Amino acid sequence: MAQVLEFKLPDLGEGLTEAEIVRWLVQVGDVVAVDQPVVEVETAKAMVEVPCPYGGVVTARFGEEGTELPVGAPLITVAVGAPASGGDTESSGNVLVGYGTSEAPARRRRVRPGQSAPVGAASNGRPAAPSASAPSAPAAPEVADGPVPVISPLVRRLARENGLDLRELTGSGPDGLILRADVEYALRAAAAQGRVTEPASPPARVTPTTTTPAPAPATTPTGTRIPLKGVRGAVADKLSRSRREIPDATCWVDADATELMRARTAMNATGGPKISLLALLARICTAALARFPELNSTVDMEAREVVQLDHVHLGFAAQTERGLVVPVVRDAHARDAESLTAEFARLTEAARAGTLTPAELTGGTFTLNNYGVFGVDGSTPIINHPEAAMLGVGRIAPKPWVHEGELAVRQVVQLSLTFDHRVCDGGTAGGFLRYVADCVEQPAVLLRTL
């Protein structure tokens, strides 16, 4: 007879803990091949088609379109060929980041001394049929040695706020990594056993003659409620963390961009590939970071160290229908203006199509934010955690400007730099911003320093 295998939502990488089902690509009863995409999901990073590692007949789907599932939740079940007809289960060797066909470590709760194990718990965390030979004595306690395998601070906070000891859990992630789904599962299991209770409210104070009236119910705000999930939720979490953890400061300067615009026009008049303004600004940024490497760094507070990075992975803000995303140009310091233009165009198109991979949305070391495309002059950017700085560029607009001792109409832009005050002081930040402004005003400055 056929063997039914369960395929769970795999770890999609980069710390993602859930995904929303956008579109099912198979129906119950369909025959699927090994590594055939079966569902399209949307994470906080991008749209991803999830391939199934098993070949066979789809017997069940879990979750309707629009449903958000945690990593490790069942996606589909597949009936594979009967063993009698020959051969083992057909499966692939690798599906997505953090997922393979070898079974992940079973989810289980460790038991403290004097605490009984849940009756009939199977290794996969589901009730199992009672066994006549199963002992009724409490399970022996297990002792956790070494560090707790948790990366996400959100997982630690969730466990801490609910009084859950992470040493009691065995994670279902790669190498036993404890995921948010593991903590939520443990909390549900504890609640089902009656070991988690809501804190009792203090009784109302009573005097011999009067009784304190019950407080009036709180008024629920009216209006449209929009869930913070997907891209919007990821942006909210990251910006909140940046404001919470990074002591940032901002400095800004107006610059005459007339010569930069003329230089770009001359470059594009040669008949070669067109050079974008964003590429020229990126080229200026990488040159400035070579002179002021403090701003191309990250802070390791546990080690109390500033880590200066030896490469520039340049993030840039891109507005899409799904919200604001920050694709990353790898090794931007090693690219010329033409290569930067091509990569910016490729990543922008992928961002608008929703096809950026998690790897293309993470790992940035410095961010360039051209908010001038929205028709605004200035802003105070919020640092893209865990980076140390972001350069903001406003619109380039004709304004009165003193040029060579006379009042003239020039193309003026406001540049703003928000930086982590832990990595440097105002002198370094001001030096970086002044160098950028000098290159904008006199592009030949950049040629002299290359």
Side-chain angles (χ1 to χ4, degrees):
M1 61 186 251
Q3 181 183 8
V4 177
L5 299 177
E6 183 179 76
F7 173 46
K8 299 178 181 180
L9 178 65
D11 177 7
L12 301 174
E14 304 295 344
L16 301 175
T17 57
E18 65 275 320
E20 179 180 333
I21 295 176
V22 175
R23 181 168 59 100
W24 282 105
L25 305 178
V26 295
Q27 303 290 333
V28 174
D30 286 355
V31 177
V32 295
V34 172
D35 290 343
Q36 175 182 334
V38 295
V39 66
E40 185 180 60
V41 300
E42 180 180 20
T43 71
K45 302 290 186 181
M47 302 277 278
V48 179
E49 286 189 349
V50 181
C52 178
Y54 310 121
V57 178
V58 177
T59 58
R61 300 186 320 191
F62 299 92
E64 300 296 329
E65 294 178 355
T67 301
E68 192 170 75
L69 298 178
V71 169
L75 272 179
I76 63 172
T77 54
V78 178
V80 301
S85 62
D88 297 328
T89 300
E90 185 182 12
S91 62
S92 67
N94 189 22
V95 180
L96 287 173
V97 176
Y99 184 88
T101 54
S102 59
E103 185 176 351
R107 230 187 240 141
R108 68 180 189 271
R109 284 193 57 82
R110 295 187 176 183
V111 185
R112 294 180 177 176
Q115 185 182 74
S116 299
V119 178
S123 62
N124 61 1
R126 296 180 175 175
S131 171
S133 60
S136 58
E142 296 181 24
V143 180
D145 296 323
V148 180
V150 178
I151 295 177
S152 170
L154 296 178
V155 172
R156 292 185 181 274
R157 186 178 68 183
L158 180 63
R160 181 175 63 252
E161 291 176 348
N162 289 276
L164 180 64
D165 189 349
L166 289 171
R167 291 172 297 179
E168 294 184 333
L169 304 184
T170 297
S172 62
D175 299 322
L177 181 69
I178 297 176
L179 307 176
R180 191 172 83 175
D182 300 320
V183 174
E184 292 173 343
Y185 173 84
L187 293 175
R188 289 195 299 269
Q193 297 174 34
R195 293 189 285 108
V196 176
T197 59
E198 296 293 330
S201 300
R205 300 181 60 183
V206 179
T207 66
T209 58
T210 61
T211 301
T212 303
T219 302
T220 302
T222 59
T224 303
R225 290 180 173 264
I226 302 173
L228 279 174
K229 63 179 183 178
V231 173
R232 189 73 258 160
V235 170
D237 291 339
K238 194 150 194 174
L239 296 184
S240 297
R241 184 178 183 185
S242 179
R243 275 288 190 242
R244 186 171 61 248
E245 296 183 9
I246 298 178
D248 58 352
T250 301
C251 53
W252 58 89
V253 64
D254 289 340
D256 180 359
T258 305
E259 296 303 322
L260 180 67
M261 301 301 287
R262 287 176 179 170
R264 176 174 176 253
T265 300
M267 294 171 69
N268 290 337
T270 60
K274 301 297 183 182
I275 304 300
S276 70
L277 177 61
L278 186 62
L280 293 179
L281 292 170
R283 192 68 189 86
I284 292 172
C285 275
T286 57
L289 290 172
R291 295 172 65 91
F292 300 92
E294 298 91 337
L295 295 169
N296 189 58
S297 62
T298 188
V299 177
D300 184 347
M301 285 304 295
E302 291 188 4
R304 299 191 66 80
E305 294 175 341
V306 175
V307 183
Q308 290 188 12
L309 305 170
D310 55 5
H311 52 267
V312 178
H313 295 332
L314 186 67
F316 67 100
Q319 191 71 37
T320 72
E321 292 182 355
R322 300 172 60 242
L324 179 69
V325 295
V326 185
V328 176
V329 176
R330 304 283 165 178
D331 297 316
H333 61 288
R335 296 175 181 265
D336 58 17
E338 183 177 326
S339 173
L340 287 167
T341 297
E343 188 66 357
F344 281 134
R346 184 188 72 82
L347 291 172
T348 299
E349 180 60 30
R352 290 171 179 167
T355 58
L356 287 170
T357 66
E360 291 172 328
L361 284 162
T362 54
T365 64
F366 185 93
T367 296
L368 173 61
N369 187 357
N370 182 19
Y371 44 75
V373 296
F374 303 122
V376 297
D377 294 332
S379 176
T380 54
I382 299 178
I383 296 174
N384 189 18
H385 186 281
E387 298 170 15
M390 178 186 292
L391 178 68
V393 181
R395 65 172 179 158
I396 300 177
K399 294 182 180 180
W401 189 266
V402 176
H403 176 65
E404 296 180 349
E406 296 183 357
L407 187 63
V409 176
R410 305 286 286 183
Q411 299 294 317
V412 179
V413 62
Q414 185 180 97
L415 306 170
S416 58
L417 176 73
T418 296
F419 65 99
D420 186 337
H421 224 315
R422 296 172 298 180
V423 307
C424 68
D425 295 325
T428 299
F432 173 93
L433 189 57
R434 188 63 257 171
Y435 176 82
V436 171
D438 289 345
C439 290
V440 168
E441 293 185 338
Q442 304 176 51
V445 172
L446 179 62
L447 296 176
R448 288 199 300 267
T449 57
L450 292 179

